[in-house]
Amino acid sequence: MADENNTDEREEDENISPWQQMIDNPFLLLFIGVAMPTVFYTLWGVMEIASIPVAPY
Amino acid sequence: MAQFRQCPDTGLFFHKEAENLMKANAVAGVVCLLIGGILALLVVLTRWPAIHLLPADSFYMVLTAHGVCALIFWMIFFEMAILYFAGSTLLRSRLATPRWAWAGFVMMVIGAVMTLAAIFGGKSSVMMTSYVPMRAEPHFYLGLVIFAVGALIGCFVYLGTLVVAKNEKTYEGSVPLVTFGATTACIIAIFTIASGAEILIPTYLWSIGYISHIDPAMYRLIWWALGHSSQQINVAAHVAVWYLIAGVIFGARPMSEKVSRAAYLLYIFFLQLASAHHLLTDPGLSVEWKLFNTSYAMYLAVLASMIHGLTVPGAIEVAQRKKGLTNGAFEWLRKAPWGNPVFSSMFISLVGFGFLGGISGVVMGTEQISIIIHNTIYVPGHFHATVVIGTTMAWMGLTYLLIPVLFRRKMIFPQAAKLQPYIFALGMSMVAVFHMAAGTLGVARRHWDMGFAGNPLGFEYPATAYLLMGIAGIGGVIGVIGGALFCVIAVGSLVFGEKLQKEAGLLQSFGVPLADSAYTNEKPARLPMAPAEAVEADHGESGFEAPGTFILAMVLLVSFVIYYFINWKYLSEVWGIS
Amino acid sequence: MTSLLPPAQKNWWAVPVGRQEIIWIAIALVWCLIMFFMMPLWHMYGNQNIPTEAYKVTPAKYQAKVNEMIEKYKVREETAMKIPVVAPPDGADVYLLARLWQWYPMLELKKDVTYRLHLNSIDWNHGFSLQPVNINIQVVPGYEMVLNITPNKAGEYTIVCNEYCGIMHHAMLGKIWVKE
Ligand code: HEM
Ligand SMILES: [Cu+2]
Ligand SMILES: [Cu+2]
């Protein structure tokens, strides 16, 4: 395993898909992975609970 | 100067600091599993109606400790070991800031001890969920907060290691798939821990009197962002472990990097929304919120799991067929190394997670079906299939692998180790299935006495329910025996196992210096990319390279569909609610 | 061990996906969409849906409402603890209260009549678990939930508490009788 197989020679494609660029970027993924549930689960849910009306009697 | 050694069996490079951290975290995890398992025995013998072992107060105390110890401590300690392995070892990189990682580990230990001390003090039998306004002692919450901060540090050390590896060019191209899976787990963990801090810090302040009121509905919302997401860490991590073990045992190659990584991407996007599963019968949340979140935005994270369910065994099948096991649809599976506990644990984890845990989980997470399942013993039945048969067994398989590779010890009792996964799986499947069955008859979870002693009204569950709980009890005892066997083999191998190389024994992980001839200051050679030839060779255009796996996947799908609609049928028979 | 190595191609996104995976993904996606649309469909055509109607309420206010109802519609008492049994008129608002460790009061309902059942706890979380039909609803203190329920079978029903609520959790029961 130690020997270098000549990876350098492999074709390097300039136009790597934006999807792959996203997947290769852990900090972008971290942002998305935290933002999604924060917005859709937590914030939306907090708003729903906060907007429950007081009993009419 | 970072020191590395190369494992002569697998060729993996271990950074010394990372290695010691992995050992420490894995050992701490197994100790927690051991404690959790002993507590499980007490719990399950109490819920076995004919035995009814503990009195009510100790039952609730022990159940709280079982949940916390097994679910939170065992899982997360082990996950830290996996992160360091995936970040440092797999990338041939030094670990970023090992000192911080040690600080995190020490915090986790302190937090765990503190919380357990609070629970066994007897005044914090609030279950791991600790719903306000039920109150535990302050150090119950404080311990959890400290534990979580420690784990958060571990997550950032992992991310830091990714940066180091990239900057120091220890690999080329994209990170390996297993590392990407670990990254997914790490991201989910960060959201999980942040949610935990958001709710447990105020609750701690409330318990010492700084805050007068915590809204019980808000508490449940945010607590489940912690409670459920932490299960999603497990899922992301144990899928990575499946890929890892398939790679190590079979040299299996992911069928498609794109498909597997895209499936992980769906996890990152959607998996954590499912915290809503626990709030489907709560007051005041809108239908839109429930539908969107409980379905992970149209079940896209379920789609991801179904993809992994095909690609993991599919990769194994392709690798096996390449070795000539091509007869019929299933020769590759029949002739798999069923006597190797690394493989058998992993494969049982895969199948059990899919068939028992996955199907039941999606069904009970359906908005309306939750009505006939919420808080019944069906719920523990379901999650013992996911978190015990799924995650715990994956961790066990990995441990069997790490005993020689990481700890450099020969496994003791190899014959027993062969059997252990089957014993454990049998017992835990019985717990899972019979708890689920009893749940459909309405038996409550977290409940000391299904006979309702002390209430003048009286109510009798059908006799079948008692029978089912009894069989689950027998299964639980078998499961505990299987779990104990694992702990004996794992801990025993570390202490008594023959050293494979003297330089990396257990003592060293406690800081006792031994000759470190195998460690060098030399930087490992750059991690090569996967061989390219393989790709064209075993992925013909015709496509169906893993027919056996496809059949298995269809069997899963059919069971899923049938079970799903059976539950709608049950639901349609109960009182109208609108 | 290529799941442990970087992908063989730098540009792995561009590698075509095998037919087998594509077929499976398509099948699984269809199933996922079916499961998703079952839920809104059940809201339209099914009879068991948790409504969104809920109110914030204080224990004192809710307790007063419960007492008011008991005064109006009490028909008898049960057990040595003299727990009142209430028989509300058809379609009435029925207030059920959960507290340590009791469901209060008991109810006498009619089959195939729809009632507005209010649920609230005045102390901790409790779990409304109606047996043997197996209907389970979370009861959160401070939040009153309103369910339109329609009993579809006569008989004696028991409300079990299935949310852990302390040391006598296992003894927290209530009763509902449904008459023809
Ligand atoms: C070793 C065999 C095990 C047995 C026999 C066992 C059995 C049980 C039983 C009987 C309950 C109580 C159900 C109830 O009354 O609500 C329970 C609860 C639970 N178990 Fe286990 N268990 C085992 C292992 C594990 C493991 C390895 C984990 C986690 C990885 C785990 C996580 C939990 C959790 C989270 C709960 C719920 C606690 C709560 O309701 O707060 N168990 N288990
Ligand atoms: Cu209760
Ligand atoms: Cu209770």
Side-chain angles (χ1 to χ4, degrees), chain C residues 101 125-127 161 163 165 169 172:
Chain C
W101 285 281
N125 273 269
H126 296 280
C161 177
E163 180 58 81
C165 57
H169 160 57
M172 176 165 167

Side-chain angles (χ1 to χ4, degrees), chain B residues 206-251:
Chain B
W206 165 78
S207 73
I208 57 174
Y210 275 126
I211 293 181
S212 64
H213 176 75
I214 293 196
D215 185 278
M218 293 284 189
Y219 179 95
R220 284 173 55 78
L221 178 84
I222 312 225
W223 195 88
W224 281 112
L226 158 76
H228 200 86
S229 303
S230 66
Q231 305 324 303
Q232 318 295 20
I233 314 174
N234 299 340
V235 173
H238 76 220
V239 172
V241 169
W242 295 343
Y243 280 114
L244 172 79
I245 290 177
V248 172
I249 305 262
F250 299 99

Side-chain angles (χ1 to χ4, degrees), chain B residues 125 174 215 243 253 258 281 285 306 367-368 371-372 374-375 446 452 455 458 530 542 546 574 576-578, chain C residues 2-3 6 12-13 19-20 24 39 43 47-49 52 136 138 143 148 150 163-164 169-171 175:
Chain B
S125 304
S174 306
D215 185 278
Y243 280 114
R253 211 176 52 68
K258 178 176 174 178
T281 70
L285 294 160
M306 290 173 78
E367 198 221 343
Q368 295 92 341
I371 297 172
I372 54 172
H374 180 69
N375 271 354
R446 300 174 162 177
F452 307 101
N455 190 300
S542 61
V574 310
I577 306 170
S578 62
Chain C
T2 54
S3 56
W12 46 262
W13 189 267
R19 206 172 47 155
Q20 175 166 4
W24 175 245
M39 296 190 289
H43 274 281
N47 290 325
Q48 293 81 13
N49 289 291
T52 347
N136 305 279
Q138 184 76 26
Y143 291 87
N148 298 302
T150 319
E163 180 58 81
Y164 171 66
H169 160 57
H170 62 271
K175 285 282 174 197

